[in-house]
């Protein structure tokens, strides 16, 4: 209950904004990918490679269930989390979902050197980002009750979110 869930595409700043928000409002910060890695003892990349994406998605939904039982958290969801209606339903019951909206151009720039995210380890990264973003944007918007412009520094976005939630 009463959790703040940050939603948006990979590279939109969910984790760095979440950390700043948490320290400013003295709440606990949970990065969902890190939570899953601690729970399974595997990195997200290892889960994708060894067990497949659908196994990762099941673990992600379990994480949503567990975290939505807790209170006063700032949660950085994964970029795919809120594209699943089952996760939206669970997380919405536990708090407020905030969509961090970043332009395609800025996402490409921020993600161009990424070596960690399994979905982006492809030759045509910018095309993949474009396709995924087109599919996901309407889902993020439908999941969230608040949208913020994420095309600024994480401090500025965190301040904007603070002024909205206070
Ligand atoms: C994913 C985003 C990642 C991570 C996994 C899948 C996605 O999280 O959950 O690689 O489907 O967009 P970040 O958005 O924190 O990178």
């Amino acid at each position: 209950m009463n959790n703040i869930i940050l939603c948006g595409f990979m590279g939109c700043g969910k984790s760095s904004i979440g950390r700043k928000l948490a320290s400013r409002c003295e709440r606990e910060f949970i990065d969902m990918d890190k939570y899953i890695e601690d729970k399974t003892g595997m990195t997200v990349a290892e889960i994708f490679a060894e067990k497949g994406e659908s196994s990762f998605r099941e673990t992600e939904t379990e994480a949503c269930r567990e975290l939505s039982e807790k209170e006063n958290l700032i949660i950085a969801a994964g970029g795919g989390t809120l594209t699943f209606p089952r996760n939206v339903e669970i997380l919405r019951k536990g708090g407020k979902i905030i969509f961090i909206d970043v332009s395609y151009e800025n996402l490409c720039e921020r993600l161009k050197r990424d070596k960690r995210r399994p979905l982006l380890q492809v030759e045509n990264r910018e095309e993949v980002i474009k396709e995924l973003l087109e599919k996901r944007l309407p889902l993020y918007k439908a999941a969230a009750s608040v949208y913020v412009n994420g095309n600024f520094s994480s401090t500025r976005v965190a301040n904007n979110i603070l002024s909205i939630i206070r």
Side-chain angles (χ1 to χ4, degrees), residues 1-114:
M1 284 305 192
N2 198 26
N3 296 321
I4 300 288
I5 302 108
L6 302 179
C7 136
F9 203 80
M10 296 173 269
C12 76
K14 300 178 292 282
S15 302
S16 40
I17 295 164
R19 250 180 236 108
K20 288 194 168 130
L21 263 182
S23 77
R24 294 279 299 277
C25 47
E26 297 183 349
R27 293 197 191 201
E28 186 184 349
F29 172 68
I30 302 276
D31 182 302
M32 204 178 276
D33 288 338
K34 169 86 174 31
Y35 182 87
I36 290 171
E37 291 183 339
D38 291 344
K39 186 177 157 73
T40 58
M42 296 169 84
T43 65
V44 171
E46 284 167 349
I47 304 174
F48 267 72
E50 292 170 29
K51 299 175 134 193
E53 181 172 348
S54 60
S55 166
F56 173 78
R57 297 303 176 192
E58 279 167 28
T59 312
E60 190 175 47
T61 297
E62 266 172 44
C64 291
R65 275 201 202 96
E66 290 165 12
L67 293 174
S68 67
E69 297 294 313
K70 303 192 180 200
E71 297 208 353
N72 286 319
L73 301 177
I74 306 281
I75 301 170
T81 314
L82 277 313
T83 64
F84 289 82
R86 63 182 190 232
N87 298 338
V88 177
E89 197 186 320
I90 296 166
L91 289 173
R92 202 181 258 157
K93 276 187 200 142
K96 188 186 265 306
I97 301 174
I98 299 182
F99 169 46
I100 303 169
D101 194 6
V102 173
S103 70
Y104 167 69
E105 290 73 18
N106 284 340
L107 289 173
C108 287
E109 181 60 29
R110 292 184 193 182
L111 292 167
K112 72 180 177 196
R113 284 185 203 86
D114 182 82

